[in-house]
C-alpha cells in the first residue's frame, strides 16, 4: 500500500501545481502505477462506491466487443442514466477521447483492460470480467430467446462471444442449433460472422457439422439470405444426430419468405469440400494462397483478379486493369502485394489493401503465361509465349535481363528458393530445368504424353510435381531427371 500511496501523492502534487513536470521521479511508476493512482483519486480510500458502481460500469466497458452508448450502458449495468453519466465523467481520462466526443465509450487502450483484469496488478480494483459476460448473456437470453428477429444488433453480433466467455457452452450450443437465431443473425450481419461463432465450441461434433453445412452454403447465402432454410435442409436432412435433426426441423418450419424446400438430402454434406467461391464471369486460370492461409487471390479469363476470404467465401476485392484474360498470379512474401501475368502481354503489380495497380511491366511480345517471385520479393521472373523469360525489378519496374530459347509455349514456371534455377512447364509435353543467370538448360524431363500445364517445387528444391493434360501428375527427382512416380485418377 506504501507504493500505491506514493503514486497517489505524486499525482495529487502534480495536479495541485506543487510538483513540476521536469522531474521524472515525480511520476508514478509504470502504467499500472498511473492507473492505480488515477482511479484512487476518483474513489478515495472508500471502496464501497467502486464495488457498487464503478467496477460494474468499467467491467461492462471491458467486456463489451464494441463501443457502447449511454442507453446500452444503463441496460447492461442496471444503473440509472445519470449515475452512468457521472461515472463516465469521472473516468473520462481512461476512455477513448475520440469516441467520447461521439457519445460512445470504450477504454482508450488495451493496457487499461490488462491492468484492471489482472488481480496481481490491480489489487482491490481488480475486475473479474466473467460475471459481466454472464450478466450480458442473461439479459439477451431472458429478453429475446425464441424471438431473435427482435434482438438488437449488438446482441446478434456478440451474444455467442459472451456465452463462451461466461463458460456457458451448453447455452451456446443451443443457440447455434437454433434456426431462428441463425436466420436473424444472417439478416443483421453476414455468414462469416456466424461461422466464427462455432469456433467458440470447436470440439462439438454436431456444431462442427452445422458449421460445415453453413460454410458450404456461404456462396449462396452471400447472394440471397433467404436461402438458409433450403441450404440446411438440403445438406443435413439425412443426418441422424438429435441436435441436427432439431435444426432441420426448425428450418422446415421457416416462413420468412417463399422458398423451395428440398424433400431429399440433395445438396453436398460437409466433408473434404469446405467452400465454393463464386464471382468470376469466365474461366479461373490461377490461384495463389496467402501465407496466413485465410486469404487467396484468383486470376480469371474475365480480365480480373479477386481477393477471397477463405473463412467465409466472401470476395473482399476485385482488381481490374488488364485488357485481356489473366493467366497467372504470384503473391509477395509480405502478403500486401501481388503480381499478375496477362494475355494483354503485360504484368501488373497490385496493392492488395487498396486494389490499386502500382505499376505495369511491359516488354513481352506475346501472352505472358506465367510469373514467379524470388524469395525476397524484390525480383520476379515471367514467362511468355514469345519464347522468352524476363527478370524484373519490382520496385523500379525495370527488366533486368531477357532469356531466349526454343521453348514452345511456356505454361507455368516454378522458381527454386536459391533464385538461380527455374523449372518451365511446356505445352509440348516436356519440362525444362533452367539456369536463370546464363539461360543454360540444366535438364529436360520427358514422361508426359501431352502438354504440361502446371509445375510446383518441393521445399527441398530436389523434387518437382508436374500436371498435364494427359490426366496425370508426375513426381520428379530434379538431380537425376528421373520420374519417381506417376499419379493418375483424374478423368
Amino acid at each position: 500500500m506504501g507504493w500505491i500511496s506514493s503514486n497517489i501523492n505524486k499525482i495529487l502534487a502534480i495536479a495541485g501545481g506543487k510538483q513540476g513536470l521536469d522531474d521524472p521521479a515525480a511520476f508514478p511508476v509504470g502504467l499500472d502505477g498511473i492507473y492505480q493512482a488515477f482511479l484512487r483519486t476518483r474513489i478515495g480510500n472508500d471502496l464501497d462506491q467502486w464495488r457498487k458502481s464503478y467496477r460494474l460500469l468499467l467491467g461492462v466497458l471491458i467486456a463489451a466487443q464494441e463501443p457502447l452508448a449511454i442507453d446500452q450502458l444503463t441496460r447492461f449495468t442496471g444503473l440509472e442514466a445519470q449515475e452512468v453519466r457521472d461515472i463516465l465523467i469521472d473516468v473520462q481520462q481512461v476512455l477513448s477521447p475520440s469516441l467520447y466526443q461521439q457519445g460512445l465509450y470504450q477504454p482508450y487502450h488495451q493496457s487499461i483492460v490488462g491492468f484492471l483484469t489482472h488481480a496481481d496488478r490491480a489489487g482491490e480494483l481488480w475486475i473479474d470480467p466473467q460475471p459481466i459476460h454472464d450478466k450480458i448473456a442473461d439479459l439477451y437470453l431472458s429478453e429475446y430467446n425464441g424471438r431473435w428477429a427482435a434482438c438488437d444488433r449488438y446482441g446478434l453480433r456478440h451474444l455467442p462471444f459472451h456465452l463462451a466467455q461466461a463458460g456457458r457452452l451448453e447455452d451456446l450450443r443451443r443457440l447455434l442449433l437454433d434456426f431462428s437465431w441463425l436466420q436473424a443473425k444472417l439478416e443483421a450481419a453476414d455468414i462469416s460472422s456466424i461461422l466464427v461463432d462455432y469456433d467458440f465450441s470447436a470440439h462439438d461434433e454436431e456444431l462442427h457439422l452445422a458449421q460445415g453445412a453453413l460454410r458450404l452454403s456461404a456462396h449462396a447465402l452471400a447472394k440471397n439470405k433467404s436461402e438458409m432454410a433450403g441450404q440446411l435442409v438440403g445438406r443435413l436432412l439425412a443426418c441422424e444426430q438429435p441436435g441436427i435433426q432439431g435444426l432441420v426441423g426448425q428450418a422446415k418450419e421457416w416462413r420468412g419468405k417463399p422458398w423451395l424446400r428440398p424433400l431429399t438430402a440433395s445438396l453436398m454434406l460437409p466433408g473434404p469440400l469446405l467452400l465454393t467461391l463464386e464471382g468470376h464471369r469466365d474461366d479461373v486460370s490461377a490461384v495463389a494462397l496467402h501465407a496466413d492461409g485465410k486469404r487467396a487471390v484468383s486470376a480469371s479469363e474475365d480480365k480480373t483478379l479477386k481477393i477471397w476470404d477463405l473463412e467465409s467465401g466472401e470476395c473482399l476485392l476485385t482488381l481490374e486493369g488488364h485488357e485481356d484474360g489473366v493467366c497467372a498470379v504470384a503473391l509477395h512474401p509480405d502478403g500486401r502485394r501481388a503480381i499478375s501475368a496477362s494475355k494483354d502481354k503485360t504484368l501488373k503489380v497490385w496493392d492488395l489493401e487498396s486494389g490499386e495497380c502500382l505499376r505495369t511491366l511491359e516488354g513481352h511480345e506475346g501472352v505472358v503465361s506465367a510469373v514467379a517471385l524470388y524469395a525476397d520479393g524484390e525480383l520476379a521472373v515471367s514467362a511468355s509465349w514469345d519464347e522468352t523469360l524476363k527478370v524484373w525489378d519490382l520496385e523500379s519496374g525495370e527488366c533486368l535481363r531477357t532469356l531466349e530459347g526454343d521453348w514452345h509455349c511456356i505454361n507455368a514456371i516454378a522458381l527454386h528458393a536459391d533464385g538461380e534455377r527455374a523449372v518451365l512447364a511446356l505445352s509440348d509435353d516436356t519440362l525444362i530445368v533452367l539456369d536463370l543467370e546464363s539461360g543454360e538448360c540444366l535438364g529436360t524431363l520427358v514422361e508426359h504424353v501431352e502438354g504440361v500445364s502446371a509445375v510446383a517445387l518441393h521445399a527441398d528444391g530436389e523434387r518437382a510435381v508436374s500436371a498435364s493434360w494427359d490426366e496425370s501428375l508426375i513426381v520428379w527427382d530434379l538431380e537425376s531427371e528421373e520420374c519417381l512416380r506417376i499419379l493418375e485418377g483424374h478423368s
Side-chain angles (χ1 to χ4, degrees), residues 294-360:
K294 297 179 180 179
R295 287 168 290 164
V297 181
S298 60
S300 171
E301 288 289 331
D302 66 9
K303 308 178 186 179
T304 72
L305 298 101
K306 289 182 180 289
I307 304 172
W308 302 92
D309 182 323
L310 296 184
E311 293 291 322
S312 67
E314 179 187 2
C315 176
L316 303 175
L317 201 60
T318 297
L319 312 180
E320 298 179 300
H322 279 297
E323 297 178 359
D324 207 335
V326 187
C327 301
V329 61
L331 285 181
H332 193 280
D334 66 13
R336 297 194 296 270
R337 287 171 287 169
I339 181 169
S340 57
S342 171
K343 288 182 176 180
D344 65 11
K345 306 178 184 178
T346 72
L347 297 105
K348 289 183 181 291
V349 182
W350 304 90
D351 182 312
L352 296 183
E353 296 295 323
S354 66
E356 177 189 1
C357 176
L358 300 176
R359 61 190 56 86
T360 298

Side-chain angles (χ1 to χ4, degrees), residues 429 448-454 466-474:
D429 72 31
H448 286 293
V449 296
E450 290 189 39
V452 188
S453 55
S466 59
S468 168
W469 293 317
D470 64 14
E471 300 174 2
S472 73
L473 296 99
I474 294 181

Side-chain angles (χ1 to χ4, degrees), residues 12-28:
L12 292 174
I14 294 170
K18 299 177 181 179
Q19 173 65 55
L21 298 178
D22 54 349
D23 180 8
F27 293 94

Side-chain angles (χ1 to χ4, degrees), residues 65-66 153-163 185:
Q65 292 303 287
E66 59 186 65
R153 175 182 172 276
Y154 183 91
L156 290 171
R157 287 175 60 86
H158 302 302
L159 176 56
F161 172 82
H162 289 297
L163 287 170
K185 177 151 188 173

Side-chain angles (χ1 to χ4, degrees), residues 179 182-191 193-194 217-231 254 257 259:
F179 179 81
L182 296 175
Q183 186 64 48
K185 177 151 188 173
L186 182 63
E187 296 289 347
D190 54 38
I191 185 61
S193 63
I194 294 177
S217 307
H219 65 290
L221 299 179
K223 296 177 182 177
N224 186 351
K225 295 182 177 182
S226 66
E227 288 193 20
M228 178 179 279
Q231 288 286 329
W254 187 63
K257 292 181 180 179
W259 60 287

